[in-house]
């Protein structure tokens, strides 16, 4: 499916996100979605043939949106540390405004749904790696980040920590301040990966 989506499709994936947030994967049915959208199930099928396509569209939209935000948000004059902070602040801020995307991207139930959904979740991770890897590499070259851990390993540790933070927020029903918790996580990771003068 093309990542270009219509305004109506965007409304549908946002409504699907609301249902995912309140009722989980099981609650996301075409019947519930049509009710949320206030139109018939047959009208829904004109835009998406099934539930899987709606979830994939939501994840594709997230990957594209992330790519656009990161390419605009990172400046060449920023230091690797500033880029690192900017990248994650951008993510926490986006998810705070759009918690329904957290449910789509960080739900265990979705993983079992289909291989295509898994592939699209991997695409989202790939987008993040595309921006994070050069930041880590530059930071190591400039002696900002430790060289005692391979760049790929740092990327895995960082993305793992981010995913765990988002998962905790989701299962806490978005009750804590993700910006504050995210900031703490960013600073903790920087403390771990920053180079010390003896390296």
């Amino acid at each position: 499916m093309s990542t270009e989506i219509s305004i109506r499709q965007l409304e549908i994936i946002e409504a699907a996100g609301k249902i995912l947030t309140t009722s989980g994967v099981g609650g996301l049915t075409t019947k519930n979605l049509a009710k949320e959208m206030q139109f018939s199930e047959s009208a829904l099928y004109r835009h998406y043939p099934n539930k899987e396509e709606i979830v994939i569209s939501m994840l594709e939209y997230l990957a594209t949106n992330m790519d656009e935000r990161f390419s605009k948000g990172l400046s060449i004059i920023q230091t690797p540390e500033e880029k690192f902070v900017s990248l994650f602040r951008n993510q926490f801020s986006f998810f705070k405004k759009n918690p329904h995307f957290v449910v789509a991207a960080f739900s265990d139930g979705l993983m079992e749904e289909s291989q295509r959904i898994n592939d699209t979740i991997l695409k989202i991770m790939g987008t993040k790696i595309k921006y994070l890897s050069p930041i880590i590499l530059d930071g190591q070259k400039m002696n900002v980040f430790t060289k005692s851990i391979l760049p790929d390993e740092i990327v895995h540790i960082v993305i793992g920590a981010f995913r765990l933070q988002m998962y905790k927020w989701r299962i806490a029903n978005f009750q804590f301040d993700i910006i504050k918790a995210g900031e703490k996580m960013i600073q903790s990771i920087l403390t771990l990966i920053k180079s010390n003068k003896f390296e």
Side-chain angles (χ1 to χ4, degrees):
M1 184 184 156
S2 159
T3 50
E4 279 297 307
I5 63 170
S6 68
I7 290 166
R8 176 61 86 195
Q9 284 175 315
L10 184 56
E11 285 169 0
I12 292 168
I13 64 172
E14 283 179 343
K18 261 190 219 170
I19 293 168
L20 276 174
T21 308
T22 55
S23 314
V25 181
L28 182 59
T29 62
T30 47
K31 188 180 177 181
N32 287 346
L33 191 51
K35 193 176 163 191
E36 176 73 33
M37 295 293 299
Q38 295 181 333
F39 56 51
S40 68
E41 282 185 69
S42 58
L44 197 59
Y45 289 125
R46 282 204 290 274
H47 298 281
Y48 291 108
N50 54 44
K51 179 167 106 171
E52 182 191 47
E53 289 301 329
I54 294 167
V55 173
I56 287 168
S57 179
M58 187 186 285
L59 294 167
E60 287 273 3
Y61 176 79
L62 180 57
T64 306
N65 176 285
M66 193 189 291
D67 203 6
E68 285 166 4
R69 277 186 293 113
F70 288 171
S71 63
K72 284 180 195 152
L74 295 175
S75 152
I76 47 169
I77 57 165
Q78 287 176 308
T79 66
E81 191 175 335
E82 286 167 341
K83 283 182 184 174
F84 182 91
V85 170
S86 171
L87 189 83
F88 284 97
R89 275 187 187 152
N90 186 312
Q91 279 296 80
F92 287 122
S93 168
F94 172 81
F95 282 122
K96 184 176 173 123
K97 288 186 197 109
N98 303 277
H100 51 279
F101 282 115
V102 177
V103 186
F106 303 96
S107 277
D108 291 344
L110 283 174
M111 304 283 189
E112 295 138 29
E113 205 77 8
S114 81
Q115 188 53 47
R116 285 185 61 217
I117 288 175
N118 282 345
D119 291 343
T120 316
I121 289 171
L122 285 173
K123 184 178 173 182
I124 292 169
M125 278 202 238
T127 303
K128 186 168 280 173
I129 290 167
K130 179 175 102 174
Y131 288 94
L132 185 57
S133 287
I135 294 171
I136 301 299
L137 272 168
D138 286 350
Q140 286 185 324
K141 279 182 202 155
M142 294 162 77
N143 256 349
V144 176
F145 299 142
T146 180
K147 290 177 184 164
S148 57
I149 308 170
L150 291 169
D152 282 358
E153 291 305 315
I154 293 178
V155 168
H156 289 157
I157 291 163
V158 171
I159 288 179
F162 175 77
R163 287 188 68 78
L164 179 62
Q165 184 67 74
M166 300 314 289
Y167 185 71
K168 276 166 66 182
W169 188 47
R170 185 181 77 73
I171 57 172
N173 213 14
F174 312 110
Q175 291 303 304
F176 63 84
D177 186 344
I178 193 61
I179 303 288
K180 210 181 273 183
E183 195 60 39
K184 219 182 267 184
M185 188 206 93
I186 293 166
Q187 296 311 321
S188 298
I189 288 172
L190 282 173
T191 304
L192 290 170
I193 68 171
K194 269 161 94 169
S195 175
N196 69 60
K197 57 178 183 252
F198 303 111
E199 278 189 46

